[in-house]
Amino acid sequence: QVQLVESGGGLVQAGDSLRLSCAASGRTFSSDTIGWFRQAPGLEREFVGAIKWSGDNIYYAEPVKGRFTISRDNAKNTVYLQMNSLKPDDTAVYYCAAQRAISGWRNIGSSHEYEYWGQGTQVTVSS
C-alpha cells in the first residue's frame, strides 16, 4: 500500500522558517516525481514545486522561488520542503504527492497528474 505522510507543519510568524517532510513507502519511487502542493481555504490546490526522485531536476512555482527548497534523502525515502521567509500568503494545507513515470510527457504542475497523495499538514503564518 502506497503511503505518503507529511509532517512538520505548524504556526509560525512571518519571516520564520519551517521544514516539511514527506515520508514515502509502499512502492519503488525511483522513477517517480514527488510534488508539493498547497491549498488555502476557498482556493484551488496550487503547485508549489516538484523533484524527480532520481536525477537533479527540481521545479518551483514562481511565488516560492528563492524562498523554498526541495530536497530528498533516498536512504530515508523522504522528500523535504524547506520554507524560509514565510509570508501570511503561504498559509495553507501542504500536500505531497507522487506521480508515476510513464512514457511521454506529464504535467508536473497539475494535481490531476499525481496518483498518490498524503493527508496534508497545516502551515499557518501569522503577520
Side-chain angles (χ1 to χ4, degrees):
Q1 181 183 357
V2 176
Q3 275 198 316
L4 299 172
V5 180
E6 302 96 335
S7 61
L11 171 63
V12 297
Q13 293 187 328
D16 285 351
S17 298
L18 274 177
R19 189 178 79 158
L20 305 185
S21 300
C22 173
S25 63
R27 62 179 262 110
T28 300
F29 293 93
S30 58
S31 299
D32 290 1
T33 296
I34 303 297
W36 285 98
F37 290 79
R38 65 187 183 185
Q39 188 165 21
L43 299 180
E44 292 189 355
R45 196 164 292 190
E46 174 188 33
F47 175 71
V48 173
I51 184 169
K52 295 284 189 181
W53 199 270
S54 59
D56 298 324
N57 300 75
I58 306 177
Y59 311 88
Y60 298 99
E62 283 298 327
V64 307
K65 274 184 182 177
R67 299 189 298 123
F68 290 11
T69 302
I70 298 174
S71 61
R72 67 177 187 268
D73 184 332
N74 290 350
K76 295 183 178 179
N77 247 26
T78 299
V79 172
Y80 303 99
L81 178 65
Q82 177 67 44
M83 305 186 294
N84 298 330
S85 302
L86 282 162
K87 306 174 182 179
D89 283 351
D90 295 317
T91 295
V93 177
Y94 283 71
Y95 300 89
C96 65
Q99 180 188 84
R100 293 194 306 257
I102 61 172
S103 59
W105 179 83
R106 297 199 74 175
N107 184 351
I108 62 166
S110 170
S111 61
H112 302 291
E113 295 274 350
Y114 287 78
E115 285 78 25
Y116 308 105
W117 288 85
Q119 82 289 349
T121 186
Q122 176 70 47
V123 172
T124 303
V125 184
S126 64
S127 57

